[in-house]
Amino acid sequence: MSDLLTRIVDGEFIPGTTLPSETKLAQRYGATRGTVRRALAGLETRGLVTPVQGFGWVVRSARQNQSFDELRSFAQWARSKGMTPGGQVHSSEFGEATGSEARRLRVSPRSRVLRVARARSLDGRVVMLERTCYPSWIADQVAAIPDDEASVVDALSRDFDVVTAHAEHAIDVVPVSSADSELLGVRRAGPLLRVRRVSYTSGGAPIEYGEDRYLPDTVTFVVEASRESNSLTRSEFEL
């Protein structure tokens, strides 16, 4: 049924479209209705389709964008689109900065840092794994934030008056690691969309160096370019 997923992603079935009946899909793919039903349930879990009584399986809609010029956190972006963000810390430990972490956080190698791994969700569905490294000056404050806090950015601003003023992002694709597989509940065979970021205070002090790994059917990043301006947007996965 990977062909059906591809057809949805490629736009053959636009948002709001009712898919062919389970019987017709079974005939097309040479499968039983039970197999088709399980495959559709899997697509529902991934947020691609939803069952509608009296109509059948309907392709989900609503592409939602957020420009990085707005500098919203994951949680702020989600709330602005009517979705409920969630977060759950899986690990939080102090350690010594690696060379890469030290360069990005502008600290000395082997300086004290806090590393946090957190699963992020939209409307109860885990869509991203966030690994973040914090320098010593902010590490204890971050460690005090509850493990289920939906927005660390909001908590830092609200409780500690630490505000993110600007950030840098780098986007690529990486394979699922063993740790990713366990925390996200996916097989190692697939890719993940990776966003590496460094955020700063208005004074230029690095707040965090993070790496977000999104499931591939959840969020889309779109670049729009013209002679006048260039913008990068984050979207809910476009069907």
Side-chain angles (χ1 to χ4, degrees):
M1 297 296 286
S2 60
D3 176 66
L4 181 58
L5 170 62
T6 300
R7 294 168 70 192
I8 293 173
V9 172
D10 287 348
E12 180 177 341
F13 298 110
I14 64 174
T17 298
T18 300
L19 293 176
S21 68
E22 293 178 2
T23 299
K24 289 184 178 180
L25 288 173
Q27 292 173 347
R28 176 183 176 88
Y29 294 107
T32 65
R33 286 191 60 186
T35 298
V36 169
R37 193 172 294 115
R38 287 192 295 272
L40 290 169
L43 294 178
E44 180 188 14
T45 299
R46 300 173 73 172
L48 294 174
V49 299
T50 187
V52 178
Q53 187 173 5
F55 289 92
W57 292 88
V58 177
V59 177
R60 288 187 60 185
S61 58
R63 171 181 173 179
Q64 304 186 55
N65 296 339
Q66 181 245 318
S67 172
F68 271 82
D69 291 339
E70 299 174 43
L71 196 59
R72 288 177 178 169
S73 69
F74 174 86
Q76 291 167 340
W77 165 74
R79 292 187 183 114
S80 75
K81 301 304 178 183
M83 296 179 285
T84 301
Q88 183 59 54
V89 171
H90 284 286
S91 65
S92 179
E93 58 184 16
F94 288 95
E96 297 180 345
T98 64
S100 176
E101 291 167 341
R103 287 193 301 274
R104 289 172 171 84
L105 293 175
R106 300 177 188 170
V107 298
S108 301
R110 304 185 69 179
S111 295
R112 179 175 178 264
V113 295
L114 174 68
R115 298 187 186 91
V116 181
R118 179 184 293 105
R120 307 304 305 274
S121 62
L122 291 173
D123 292 338
R125 180 195 176 200
V126 175
V127 299
M128 184 256 281
L129 182 61
E130 178 184 271
R131 294 184 177 93
T132 312
C133 182
Y134 299 92
S136 182
W137 73 269
I138 192 67
D140 291 327
Q141 290 92 321
V142 174
I145 296 173
D147 287 352
D148 60 352
E149 169 63 51
S151 176
V152 172
V153 171
D154 287 347
L156 288 176
S157 175
R158 178 187 66 240
D159 300 333
F160 304 107
D161 198 30
V162 176
V163 178
T164 300
H166 62 100
E168 300 168 352
H169 300 83
I171 303 172
D172 59 7
V173 175
V174 294
V176 177
S177 68
S178 297
D180 296 336
S181 175
E182 180 178 353
L183 294 175
L184 289 173
V186 295
R187 295 194 305 175
R188 292 191 59 185
L192 295 174
L193 179 65
R194 180 175 67 171
V195 180
R196 286 171 290 174
R197 56 190 159 72
V198 183
S199 63
Y200 304 87
T201 66
S202 59
I207 298 172
E208 62 177 4
Y209 166 51
E211 182 179 298
D212 304 335
R213 297 192 175 197
Y214 291 86
L215 294 177
D217 60 348
T218 55
V219 173
T220 299
F221 292 89
V222 180
V223 177
E224 298 180 0
S226 70
R227 291 182 182 273
E228 289 76 26
S229 64
N230 298 285
S231 66
L232 176 66
T233 61
R234 172 168 50 194
S235 309
E236 187 179 8
F237 184 70
E238 182 180 8
L239 303 180

